[in-house]
Coordinates of all heavy atoms in Angstrom, one line a residue:
R774 N -3.6 25.3 8.9 CA -3.5 26.1 10.1 C -2.1 26.3 10.6 O -1.6 27.3 11.1 CB -4.5 25.7 11.1 CG -5.9 25.9 10.9 CD -6.7 26.0 12.2 NE -6.7 24.8 13.0 CZ -7.6 23.8 12.9 NH1 -8.5 23.9 11.9 NH2 -7.4 22.8 13.6
L775 N -1.3 25.2 10.4 CA 0.1 25.2 10.8 C 1.0 25.9 9.8 O 2.1 26.0 10.1 CB 0.6 23.8 10.9 CG 0.1 22.9 12.2 CD1 0.6 21.4 12.0 CD2 0.4 23.6 13.4
G776 N 0.4 26.3 8.8 CA 1.2 27.1 7.8 C 1.9 26.2 6.8 O 2.8 26.6 6.1
L777 N 1.5 24.9 6.7 CA 2.0 24.0 5.8 C 1.1 23.5 4.7 O 0.0 23.8 4.7 CB 2.6 22.8 6.6 CG 3.5 22.9 7.7 CD1 3.7 21.7 8.4 CD2 4.8 23.5 7.3
T778 N 1.6 22.7 3.8 CA 0.8 22.1 2.7 C 1.1 20.6 2.6 O 2.3 20.3 2.7 CB 0.9 22.8 1.4 OG1 2.3 22.8 1.0 CG2 0.4 24.3 1.4
L779 N 0.1 19.9 2.3 CA 0.3 18.5 2.0 C 1.0 18.3 0.6 O 0.6 19.1 -0.2 CB -0.9 17.7 2.1 CG -1.6 17.4 3.4 CD1 -2.8 16.6 3.3 CD2 -0.7 16.7 4.4
N780 N 1.7 17.4 0.5 CA 2.4 17.0 -0.8 C 1.2 16.2 -1.6 O 1.0 14.9 -1.4 CB 3.6 16.2 -0.7 CG 4.3 15.9 -2.1 OD1 3.7 16.0 -3.1 ND2 5.5 15.6 -2.0
E781 N 0.5 16.9 -2.4 CA -0.6 16.3 -3.0 C -0.3 15.1 -4.0 O -1.0 14.2 -4.2 CB -1.4 17.4 -3.9 CG -2.1 18.4 -3.0 CD -3.2 17.8 -2.0 OE1 -3.7 16.8 -2.2 OE2 -3.4 18.5 -0.9
A782 N 0.9 15.2 -4.5 CA 1.5 14.1 -5.4 C 1.6 12.7 -4.7 O 1.6 11.7 -5.2 CB 2.8 14.5 -6.1
K783 N 1.9 12.8 -3.3 CA 2.1 11.7 -2.4 C 0.8 11.4 -1.6 O 0.9 10.6 -0.7 CB 3.3 11.8 -1.7 CG 4.6 11.9 -2.5 CD 5.8 12.1 -1.6 CE 7.1 12.2 -2.4 NZ 8.3 12.3 -1.6
T784 N -0.3 12.2 -1.8 CA -1.5 12.1 -0.8 C -2.6 11.5 -1.8 O -3.0 12.1 -2.7 CB -1.8 13.4 -0.3 OG1 -0.6 14.1 0.4 CG2 -3.0 13.4 0.6
S785 N -3.2 10.5 -1.1 CA -4.3 9.8 -1.8 C -5.0 8.9 -0.9 O -4.5 8.5 0.2 CB -3.9 9.1 -3.1 OG -2.9 8.0 -2.7
I786 N -6.2 8.5 -1.3 CA -6.9 7.5 -0.4 C -6.9 6.2 -1.2 O -7.2 6.1 -2.4 CB -8.4 8.0 -0.2 CG1 -8.4 9.2 0.6 CG2 -9.3 6.8 0.4 CD1 -9.8 9.8 0.7
K787 N -6.5 5.0 -0.5 CA -6.4 3.8 -1.1 C -7.3 2.8 -0.3 O -7.4 2.8 1.0 CB -5.1 3.3 -1.0 CG -4.0 4.1 -1.7 CD -4.0 3.8 -3.2 CE -2.8 4.5 -3.9 NZ -2.8 4.3 -5.4
Q788 N -8.0 2.0 -1.1 CA -8.7 0.8 -0.5 C -7.6 -0.3 -0.3 O -7.3 -1.0 -1.2 CB -9.8 0.3 -1.4 CG -10.8 1.3 -1.7 CD -11.8 1.4 -0.4 OE1 -11.7 0.6 0.4 NE2 -12.5 2.5 -0.4
A789 N -7.2 -0.5 0.9 CA -5.9 -1.1 1.1 C -6.0 -2.7 0.9 O -5.0 -3.3 0.7 CB -5.4 -0.9 2.4
R790 N -7.3 -3.1 0.8 CA -7.5 -4.6 0.5 C -7.4 -4.8 -0.9 O -7.2 -6.0 -1.3 CB -8.8 -5.0 1.2 CG -8.8 -5.1 2.6 CD -10.1 -5.6 3.3 NE -10.1 -5.6 4.8 CZ -9.5 -6.5 5.5 NH1 -8.8 -7.6 5.0 NH2 -9.4 -6.5 6.9
Q791 N -7.7 -3.8 -1.7 CA -7.6 -4.1 -3.2 C -6.5 -3.2 -3.9 O -6.1 -3.6 -5.0 CB -8.9 -3.5 -3.8 CG -10.2 -4.4 -3.6 CD -10.9 -4.0 -2.2 OE1 -10.9 -2.9 -1.9 NE2 -11.3 -5.1 -1.5
E792 N -5.9 -2.2 -3.2 CA -4.9 -1.3 -3.8 C -3.7 -1.4 -2.9 O -3.7 -1.4 -1.7 CB -5.3 -0.1 -4.0 CG -6.6 0.2 -4.8 CD -7.2 1.6 -5.0 OE1 -7.9 2.1 -4.0 OE2 -6.6 2.4 -5.8
S793 N -2.5 -1.3 -3.6 CA -1.2 -1.1 -2.7 C -0.9 0.3 -2.5 O -1.4 1.2 -3.2 CB -0.1 -1.7 -3.7 OG -0.4 -3.1 -3.7
F794 N -0.2 0.6 -1.4 CA 0.3 1.8 -1.1 C 1.8 1.8 -0.6 O 2.2 0.7 0.0 CB -0.5 2.7 -0.1 CG -0.5 2.0 1.3 CD1 0.3 2.5 2.2 CD2 -1.6 1.1 1.6 CE1 0.3 2.0 3.6 CE2 -1.5 0.5 3.0 CZ -0.7 1.0 3.9
H795 N 2.6 2.8 -0.7 CA 3.9 2.8 -0.4 C 4.2 3.6 0.9 O 3.7 4.7 0.9 CB 4.8 3.2 -1.6 CG 4.7 2.4 -2.8 ND1 3.8 2.4 -3.6 CD2 5.5 1.3 -3.2 CE1 3.9 1.4 -4.7 NE2 5.0 0.9 -4.3
F796 N 5.0 3.0 1.7 CA 5.3 3.8 2.9 C 6.7 3.3 3.5 O 6.9 2.2 3.6 CB 4.3 3.6 4.0 CG 4.4 4.4 5.3 CD1 4.4 5.8 5.2 CD2 4.4 3.8 6.5 CE1 4.7 6.6 6.4 CE2 4.6 4.4 7.7 CZ 4.7 5.8 7.6
L797 N 7.5 4.3 3.7 CA 9.1 4.2 4.1 C 9.6 3.0 3.4 O 10.3 2.1 4.0 CB 8.9 3.7 5.7 CG 8.2 4.7 6.6 CD1 8.2 4.3 8.0 CD2 8.9 6.2 6.4
G798 N 9.5 2.9 2.1 CA 10.3 2.1 1.3 C 9.6 0.7 0.9 O 10.1 -0.2 0.3
Y799 N 8.5 0.5 1.7 CA 7.7 -0.8 1.5 C 6.4 -0.5 0.8 O 5.9 0.4 0.7 CB 7.3 -1.3 2.9 CG 8.3 -2.1 3.7 CD1 9.2 -1.5 4.6 CD2 8.3 -3.4 3.5 CE1 10.1 -2.3 5.2 CE2 9.3 -4.2 4.2 CZ 10.3 -3.6 5.1 OH 11.2 -4.3 5.7
R800 N 6.1 -1.7 0.1 CA 4.7 -1.7 -0.6 C 3.8 -2.5 0.3 O 4.0 -3.8 0.5 CB 4.9 -2.3 -2.0 CG 3.6 -2.3 -2.8 CD 3.8 -2.8 -4.1 NE 4.1 -4.2 -4.3 CZ 3.3 -5.3 -4.3 NH1 2.1 -5.1 -4.4 NH2 3.8 -6.5 -4.5
F801 N 2.8 -1.9 0.7 CA 1.7 -2.7 1.5 C 0.4 -2.9 0.7 O 0.1 -2.0 -0.1 CB 1.3 -1.8 2.8 CG 2.4 -1.6 3.8 CD1 3.3 -0.5 3.6 CD2 2.8 -2.5 4.7 CE1 4.3 -0.3 4.6 CE2 3.7 -2.4 5.6 CZ 4.5 -1.2 5.5
G802 N -0.2 -3.9 1.0 CA -1.4 -4.3 0.2 C -1.5 -5.7 -0.4 O -0.9 -6.5 0.2
P803 N -2.3 -6.0 -1.4 CA -2.4 -7.3 -1.9 C -1.2 -7.8 -2.6 O -0.6 -7.1 -3.2 CB -3.6 -7.2 -2.9 CG -3.8 -5.7 -3.2 CD -3.2 -4.9 -2.0
H804 N -0.8 -8.9 -2.2 CA 0.3 -9.7 -2.9 C -0.2 -11.1 -3.3 O -1.1 -11.6 -2.8 CB 1.4 -9.9 -1.9 CG 2.2 -8.7 -1.5 ND1 1.6 -7.6 -0.9 CD2 3.6 -8.3 -1.7 CE1 2.5 -6.6 -0.8 NE2 3.7 -7.1 -1.3
C805 N 0.6 -11.6 -4.3 CA 0.2 -12.9 -4.8 C 1.2 -14.0 -4.6 O 2.4 -13.8 -4.9 CB -0.1 -12.7 -6.4 SG -0.6 -14.3 -7.2
F806 N 0.7 -15.2 -4.1 CA 1.7 -16.3 -4.0 C 2.1 -16.7 -5.4 O 1.3 -17.0 -6.3 CB 1.0 -17.5 -3.3 CG 1.0 -17.3 -1.8 CD1 -0.3 -17.0 -1.1 CD2 2.3 -17.3 -0.9 CE1 -0.2 -16.9 0.3 CE2 2.0 -17.0 0.3 CZ 0.9 -16.9 1.0
A807 N 3.3 -16.8 -5.7 CA 4.0 -17.3 -7.0 C 3.5 -18.7 -7.3 O 3.3 -19.1 -8.5 CB 5.4 -17.0 -7.1
R808 N 3.4 -19.5 -6.3 CA 3.2 -21.0 -6.5 C 1.8 -21.4 -7.0 O 1.6 -22.0 -7.9 CB 3.6 -21.7 -5.1 CG 4.9 -21.7 -4.7 CD 5.2 -22.6 -3.5 NE 6.5 -22.7 -3.0 CZ 6.9 -23.2 -2.0 NH1 6.1 -23.8 -1.2 NH2 8.2 -23.2 -1.6
D809 N 0.8 -20.7 -6.3 CA -0.5 -21.1 -6.6 C -1.5 -20.0 -7.0 O -2.8 -20.2 -7.3 CB -1.2 -21.9 -5.4 CG -1.1 -21.1 -4.1 OD1 -0.9 -19.8 -4.3 OD2 -1.3 -21.6 -3.1
G810 N -0.9 -18.8 -7.1 CA -1.7 -17.6 -7.5 C -2.7 -17.1 -6.6 O -3.5 -16.2 -6.8
R811 N -2.7 -17.5 -5.3 CA -3.5 -17.0 -4.3 C -3.1 -15.6 -3.8 O -2.0 -15.3 -3.7 CB -3.5 -18.0 -3.0 CG -4.3 -19.2 -3.2 CD -4.5 -20.1 -1.9 NE -3.2 -20.4 -1.3 CZ -2.8 -20.0 -0.2 NH1 -3.5 -19.0 0.6 NH2 -1.5 -20.3 0.3
W812 N -4.1 -14.8 -3.4 CA -3.8 -13.4 -3.0 C -3.8 -13.3 -1.4 O -4.6 -14.0 -0.7 CB -4.8 -12.4 -3.6 CG -4.6 -12.3 -5.0 CD1 -5.3 -13.1 -6.1 CD2 -3.8 -11.3 -5.7 NE1 -4.8 -12.6 -7.3 CE2 -3.9 -11.6 -7.1 CE3 -3.0 -10.2 -5.2 CZ2 -3.3 -10.7 -8.0 CZ3 -2.3 -9.5 -6.2 CH2 -2.5 -9.7 -7.5
Y813 N -3.0 -12.4 -0.9 CA -3.0 -12.2 0.6 C -2.5 -10.8 0.8 O -2.0 -10.1 -0.1 CB -2.0 -13.2 1.2 CG -0.5 -12.9 0.8 CD1 0.4 -12.2 1.7 CD2 0.0 -13.5 -0.4 CE1 1.7 -12.0 1.2 CE2 1.4 -13.3 -0.8 CZ 2.1 -12.6 0.1 OH 3.5 -12.3 -0.3
L814 N -2.8 -10.2 1.9 CA -2.4 -8.9 2.3 C -1.1 -9.0 3.0 O -0.8 -9.7 3.9 CB -3.4 -8.3 3.3 CG -4.8 -7.9 2.7 CD1 -5.7 -7.3 3.8 CD2 -4.6 -6.9 1.7
G815 N -0.1 -8.3 2.6 CA 1.3 -8.2 3.1 C 2.1 -7.0 2.8 O 1.7 -6.0 2.4
A816 N 3.3 -7.1 2.9 CA 4.3 -6.0 2.7 C 5.5 -6.6 2.0 O 5.9 -7.8 2.3 CB 4.7 -5.4 4.1
S817 N 6.2 -5.8 1.3 CA 7.4 -6.2 0.6 C 8.1 -5.0 0.1 O 7.6 -3.8 0.1 CB 7.1 -6.9 -0.8 OG 6.3 -6.2 -1.6
P818 N 9.5 -5.0 0.0 CA 10.3 -3.9 -0.5 C 9.7 -3.3 -1.8 O 9.5 -4.1 -2.7 CB 11.7 -4.4 -0.7 CG 11.7 -5.6 0.2 CD 10.3 -6.2 0.2

């Protein structure tokens, strides 16, 4: 209605607890501890 279109290449639905998504240069979502292999939700470049 505003006369615009979404950038479909950058538009998607993610299950953020299982999948990562990128925003403003960061990767958000599941990460793995290098020491013991445990998973956690976080952010990284």
Side-chain angles (χ1 to χ4, degrees):
R774 287 204 299 269
L775 290 174
L777 305 174
T778 55
L779 289 177
N780 186 335
E781 296 298 338
K783 297 181 179 179
T784 302
S785 62
I786 295 178
K787 299 283 189 178
Q788 296 287 344
R790 293 185 180 278
Q791 289 84 37
E792 302 175 272
S793 297
F794 68 93
H795 295 81
F796 184 57
L797 302 182
Y799 276 91
R800 178 173 71 91
F801 296 92
H804 288 65
C805 181
F806 281 111
R808 292 182 179 179
D809 53 17
R811 288 188 299 113
W812 290 88
Y813 67 98
L814 291 177
S817 60

